[in-house]
Amino acid sequence: MLDISKPSHSQEYIDYLNAIPRETLLTILENAFSEIYVLDKNGRIIYINPAAMRLYGVPPEDLINKNSKAAKKDLWDPYSFDITRQSHRAIVTENIYYKTNRSMICINVPVYNDNDEFELMVSISLDNIRAVDLSYRDLRNPIESINLDFSDEIIGKSILFEQCLTDLEKAAKFDCNILILGESGTGKSYLAQMVHERSPRNHKPFVAINCGAIPDGLLESELFGYMPGAFTGANVKGKIGLLKNADGGSIFLDEIGELSPAMQVKILDVLENKRFFPVGSNKPEYVNIRIIAATNQNLMNAIREKKFREDLYWRLNTVKVVLPPLRKRKEDIFYLATAFLNDFNKRYNTNKVFNEKILSCFNNYDWPGNVRQLRNAVERMIILSDGIIINEELFFRYLDQEEDREETDGETYNVEEFKKQTVIKLYAKHKSSRAVARRMGISQSTANLLINKYIKNKE
Ligand SMILES: Nc1ncnc2c1ncn2[C@@H]1O[C@H](COP(=O)(O)OP(=O)(O)OP(=O)(O)O)[C@@H](O)[C@H]1O
């Protein structure tokens, strides 16, 4: 327990303190490395120093005068004001800052007036010094700090995604086939692996194969194996296929919609009779295997067009889960982006944070490449950013680069539309090209060009 008995200074020292110029005191506060955070008796934030920007990317201007409970929402946890106010002692909390997934030690001190009434809470937050200054490695006895690792967690809190997760977690416990549908990059392979890991088969192999990436003949010998001399160029000893290798475990058939009609019949045989024929053999082999299949194609259309067997479809989809695209679960963008930030910070030994504006830019974008694209954007911005803060300017650059890609590979990224909507929204709100420039992190002349292009020329 920390003793916080009131400071009882000599009169001489009090006079000295009173003579310190206000500017000097402010300079001290504003330059303190640790975050200093002061709440009044109602929990209103009355002072916060710029370290807040380093810790969780929010400028003091955006926090000041706000009720701390509302301001902290989605930024950090736990909430220490209520308990500190009643405690008559310093309360030490270990807070998690979601944007960086880092834990911080916060020391919250209640301050009482002469009538013993609660007046202020003065807090300091100490971040993970190891992440900031790696020179500690030169010391003999480095201080062990707390560093939580969330990397094994499946990220996503939106209702749509949680529903998928709950269904998959339930299905994982049963030995049923599962069909996972969803656009490219929504996490189908990732969740297929989760199903296996949470199933009773988790001590046996998980084998994944992309049915669309391998020519038909090769796919058959990869999956079922082949007998010695089965075809020209075959290994003289024959080969054991992936199905046999995965015996007892799970096999993930990605891009199942790409299977040829002949392979569809063979997979149906595996599903119905738990058997297959290695290439060049008439003798069936039996396996105990669970099949998880995925595709980004519309299988019902494929059935209508007679490209996919209906009996196979119904066999595969004992449990069917359709993963929503990222644009339909925008609540998850924040958590995914910060988790990727944290992962790449670890991988590249950096300590970067997002500013507030970039997070709202993430939310306004459609993410045609879904979670995979978000991950890629975060990694690229960590690598290309100069300072500790990753700002919206970098994100606009990322979008510009992807726009170039659109011209070369024909993929559709609606970057122009996104930029246009952002300019229109900001200009409607601030009515000034300077504000648009500042908010978008671009020069004022570029902002003027965009305003003329999207707004004024249309009027
Ligand atoms: N909920 C999630 N939490 C953390 N990472 C995720 C999540 N969903 C997807 N990812 C990551 O996003 C990337 C793309 O996911 P994945 O390969 O599973 O997509 P997919 O739907 O199988 O794509 P495709 O159809 O193109 O094969 C991977 O790096 C994966 O780790």
Side-chain angles (χ1 to χ4, degrees), residues 153-156 161 182-191 210 252 254-255 294-296 323 329 336 339-340 369 371-373 375:
E153 269 188 28
I154 306 282
I155 302 146
F161 185 73
E183 287 177 16
S184 180
T186 45
K188 298 184 294 296
S189 317
Y190 187 67
L191 290 174
N210 186 326
F252 175 52
D254 201 2
E255 310 287 2
T295 181
N296 52 26
L323 292 182
R329 49 179 180 119
L336 284 161
F340 295 147
V371 185
R372 181 181 290 117
Q373 190 191 3
R375 192 169 193 277

Side-chain angles (χ1 to χ4, degrees), residues 321-334:
V321 168
V322 185
L323 292 182
L326 205 48
R327 63 183 171 282
K328 293 210 174 138
R329 49 179 180 119
K330 296 216 158 173
E331 309 93 292
D332 293 342
I333 292 176
F334 171 85

Side-chain angles (χ1 to χ4, degrees), residues 240-253:
I240 293 177
L242 290 176
L243 276 187
K244 199 72 192 168
N245 279 331
D247 201 6
S250 316
I251 187 149
F252 175 52
L253 301 177

Side-chain angles (χ1 to χ4, degrees), residues 90-348:
I91 295 292
V92 180
T93 52
E94 184 191 355
N95 285 22
I96 303 298
Y97 287 85
Y98 295 129
K99 287 197 180 165
T100 51
N101 259 354
R102 290 196 312 231
S103 70
M104 313 271 162
I105 299 300
C106 301
I107 306 173
N108 311 291
V109 177
V111 179
Y112 301 89
N113 64 17
D114 290 342
N115 299 326
D116 220 21
E117 292 156 344
F118 175 75
E119 230 174 28
L120 299 172
M121 178 175 104
V122 179
S123 303
I124 59 163
S125 301
L126 308 163
D127 59 348
N128 184 347
I129 299 299
R130 275 210 306 193
V132 176
D133 176 8
L134 296 175
S135 59
Y136 80 91
R137 287 183 180 150
D138 301 335
L139 301 176
R140 282 256 170 88
N141 298 309
I143 304 159
E144 272 311 309
S145 70
I146 307 129
N147 204 354
L148 300 184
D149 189 356
F150 293 162
S151 58
D152 287 332
E153 269 188 28
I154 306 282
I155 302 146
K157 293 181 192 282
S158 61
I159 296 174
L160 276 181
F161 185 73
E162 281 212 327
Q163 187 59 60
C164 293
L165 206 55
T166 312
D167 289 352
L168 286 173
E169 275 170 345
K170 280 185 195 153
K173 312 240 163 12
F174 293 83
D175 216 21
C176 58
N177 299 320
I178 299 179
L179 180 60
I180 308 178
L181 303 176
E183 287 177 16
S184 180
T186 45
K188 298 184 294 296
S189 317
Y190 187 67
L191 290 174
Q193 194 152 357
M194 176 213 82
V195 166
H196 173 74
E197 276 159 18
R198 298 190 184 176
S199 77
R201 293 175 179 266
N202 61 7
H203 56 290
K204 293 283 186 176
F206 172 81
V207 173
I209 186 159
N210 186 326
C211 306
I214 307 177
D216 219 34
L218 193 56
L219 179 65
E220 184 176 355
S221 60
E222 281 295 310
L223 273 178
F224 304 144
Y226 56 80
M227 302 306 287
F231 48 86
T232 335
N235 189 312
V236 286
K237 290 187 183 150
K239 187 181 163 188
I240 293 177
L242 290 176
L243 276 187
K244 199 72 192 168
N245 279 331
D247 201 6
S250 316
I251 187 149
F252 175 52
L253 301 177
D254 201 2
E255 310 287 2
I256 189 99
E258 304 282 329
L259 280 183
S260 70
M263 277 306 286
Q264 289 180 33
V265 175
K266 289 176 183 173
I267 295 291
L268 189 61
D269 197 23
V270 176
L271 283 163
E272 294 195 325
N273 305 310
K274 304 271 175 218
R275 67 167 190 193
F276 64 93
F277 293 86
V279 177
S281 165
N282 293 326
K283 217 172 115 225
E285 296 236 11
Y286 289 86
V287 275
N288 169 9
I289 205 146
R290 169 190 222 168
I291 294 191
I292 307 169
T295 181
N296 52 26
Q297 289 191 17
N298 183 327
L299 285 185
M300 287 322 265
N301 278 350
I303 290 170
R304 262 180 241 117
E305 290 164 10
K306 307 255 178 276
K307 288 185 184 149
F308 200 81
R309 294 181 66 104
E310 191 169 357
D311 46 3
L312 177 58
Y313 174 77
W314 292 115
R315 265 290 179 178
L316 285 170
N317 91 343
T318 311
V319 170
K320 179 170 85 176
V321 168
V322 185
L323 292 182
L326 205 48
R327 63 183 171 282
K328 293 210 174 138
R329 49 179 180 119
K330 296 216 158 173
E331 309 93 292
D332 293 342
I333 292 176
F334 171 85
Y335 297 102
L336 284 161
T338 53
F340 295 147
L341 179 79
N342 199 37
D343 283 352
F344 289 118
N345 266 335
K346 268 190 210 150
R347 181 187 300 176
Y348 294 124

Side-chain angles (χ1 to χ4, degrees), residues 395-440:
F395 185 52
F396 284 111
R397 267 190 63 205
Y398 172 87
L399 294 181
D400 279 340
Q401 287 161 348
E402 290 312 308
E403 197 172 22
D404 292 344
R405 212 182 114 192
E406 186 184 354
E407 282 157 22
T408 53
D409 69 7
E411 283 192 47
T412 314
Y413 287 91
N414 208 351
V415 173
E416 191 62 25
E417 185 58 25
F418 172 67
K419 240 197 250 172
K420 180 175 156 187
Q421 293 309 331
T422 310
V423 171
I424 293 174
K425 235 182 350 201
L426 289 175
Y427 191 70
K429 190 168 171 202
H430 301 286
K431 296 271 182 280
S432 110
S433 59
R434 227 176 105 207
V436 172
R438 207 166 60 87
R439 298 263 153 193
M440 289 178 73

